[in-house]
Amino acid sequence: MRRQHIFVNFKRFDVPHTLGGVNRGQVRDWASSIVAQCLPTLSGYDSQAVRFAMYFPESQLFGALDAVASSPVLEVGCQGVHHADVSVGGNFGAFTTLRPAAAMAAMGVKSTIIGHCEERNDKRYLVELAGGEASPLVDRILNDEVLCAHERGLSVLFCVGERAEEVERWDEVIRTQLQEGLKGADLDRVTIAYEPVWSIGPGRTPAGKDYITKVARLVKRTLGDVPVVYGGGLKEENAEMLASIDEIDGGLVALTRFSGEIGFYSDEFLNIVRLYLGRKAKED
């Protein structure tokens, strides 16, 4: 079995439920609590066979880093880096409100997400607001972020995917995102997350096995043997299906419960891990 990669993106977990977020616990200590709950089980896996990474909001990074200590199996990541960075004898930090890769590396972060569909949407909005053509400019900005991350020793979870209006030319869209966004990147430190943006969200039909397979094959034809994970949401309902796809090397979890008291629950996450890795082992 090729090394598998299971990631979690804790978006909006720095906001309590009462203020519109999804955190139903104590926001201040939540990250360290989640790591403490998951780490004993995750540490039972061979770090050469499976890699786990959790991407936290910036306000929760120190708690998560303290809790993970020096675990060889679980990385703590941030949810993005700025497209420019500080430099010795140069720009010493004119990045108010932004997140330079140097700051993340100094905290002890090992990985970052770049190109998530929500980040792409934000950059597309700004480019189009200024009257520009979004696609080439967004990819160029993301490429700068990737290079900044690599310069500081961070690995990158690079997200790609087509929107509803791009489905008919999905291959062109995804190939361009890969080629432009990863120009000059160290592919040994890149994992690709495929997000079928057109299928994510309430009331939408999830991408099926055949569709996910053809996209994963395109990624590997374009980049070579780079790990590809499903970024449209690894969950209990699709864990075994995704594990049955030879070209898929893992998945990205956001929530574990999508109705009732929606949120992330450690026991449900660990069950997703067991379902996915158990089926992947059987496939091999």
Side-chain angles (χ1 to χ4, degrees):
M1 179 173 70
R2 293 191 308 273
R3 192 184 191 202
Q4 298 298 296
H5 307 257
I6 298 181
F7 305 123
V8 185
N9 179 20
F10 289 113
K11 56 185 182 180
R12 298 189 305 279
F13 280 91
D14 51 347
V15 183
H17 175 67
T18 53
L19 295 180
V22 291
N23 194 325
R24 296 177 182 274
Q26 297 296 317
V27 171
R28 177 179 291 273
D29 301 318
W30 186 83
S32 58
S33 174
I34 285 294
V35 171
Q37 291 168 29
C38 295
L39 194 54
T41 298
L42 301 185
S43 296
Y45 290 95
D46 180 358
S47 61
Q48 299 302 308
V50 59
R51 169 191 173 208
F52 298 98
M54 293 182 171
Y55 298 92
F56 289 92
E58 194 167 353
S59 63
Q60 295 178 332
L61 282 174
F62 278 126
L65 287 162
D66 288 344
V68 80
S70 57
S71 169
V73 72
L74 177 59
E75 297 175 13
V76 170
C78 61
Q79 296 177 326
V81 295
H82 188 44
H83 60 79
D85 205 351
V86 300
S87 60
V88 177
N91 189 329
F92 62 87
F95 301 122
T96 301
T97 79
L98 304 171
R99 188 187 299 114
M104 296 298 96
M107 290 179 71
V109 166
K110 302 298 183 186
S111 184
T112 184
I113 300 176
I114 292 176
H116 190 282
C117 63
E118 293 162 2
E119 181 187 12
R120 289 181 182 272
N121 286 343
D122 179 62
K123 287 179 167 50
R124 184 179 298 108
Y125 167 74
L126 295 175
V127 169
E128 292 176 346
L129 199 63
E133 184 182 349
S135 180
L137 294 178
V138 169
D139 290 331
R140 191 180 307 165
I141 296 168
L142 295 177
N143 181 243
D144 287 340
E145 293 178 358
V146 170
L147 298 181
C148 282
H150 283 171
E151 181 67 23
R152 297 298 179 177
L154 305 183
S155 63
V156 171
L157 178 61
F158 190 71
C159 303
V160 299
E162 73 281 31
R163 295 172 295 156
E165 59 268 37
E166 298 170 327
V167 169
E168 290 187 359
R169 52 189 186 92
W170 64 273
D171 50 346
E172 172 195 345
V173 169
I174 292 172
R175 190 182 295 109
T176 298
Q177 290 174 351
L178 293 169
Q179 293 173 336
E180 296 301 318
L182 295 175
K183 190 175 295 183
D186 178 0
L187 296 183
D188 288 337
R189 290 187 288 166
V190 171
T191 300
I192 302 300
Y194 169 55
E195 297 180 288
V197 184
W198 54 270
S199 77
I200 300 172
R204 297 185 180 181
T205 303
K209 179 176 179 178
D210 290 345
Y211 197 97
I212 296 168
T213 300
K214 73 176 184 179
V215 174
R217 287 176 178 170
L218 171 69
V219 173
K220 290 182 180 289
R221 285 198 306 270
T222 304
L223 298 181
D225 194 23
V226 170
V228 180
V229 305
Y230 182 63
L234 172 61
K235 42 198 163 188
E236 289 182 333
E237 294 84 353
N238 65 12
E240 293 187 291
M241 179 274 284
L242 292 170
S244 71
I245 301 175
D246 290 341
E247 293 82 2
I248 287 294
D249 305 301
L252 178 61
V253 178
L255 304 176
T256 63
R257 191 178 302 175
F258 297 85
S259 60
E261 292 193 346
I262 67 169
F264 179 92
Y265 297 87
S266 298
D267 56 340
E268 296 171 351
F269 168 66
L270 295 173
N271 190 48
I272 292 171
V273 171
R274 283 189 288 267
L275 286 170
Y276 177 85
L277 293 178
R279 176 60 185 270
K280 205 67 174 178
K282 289 179 183 177
E283 289 297 313
D284 291 346

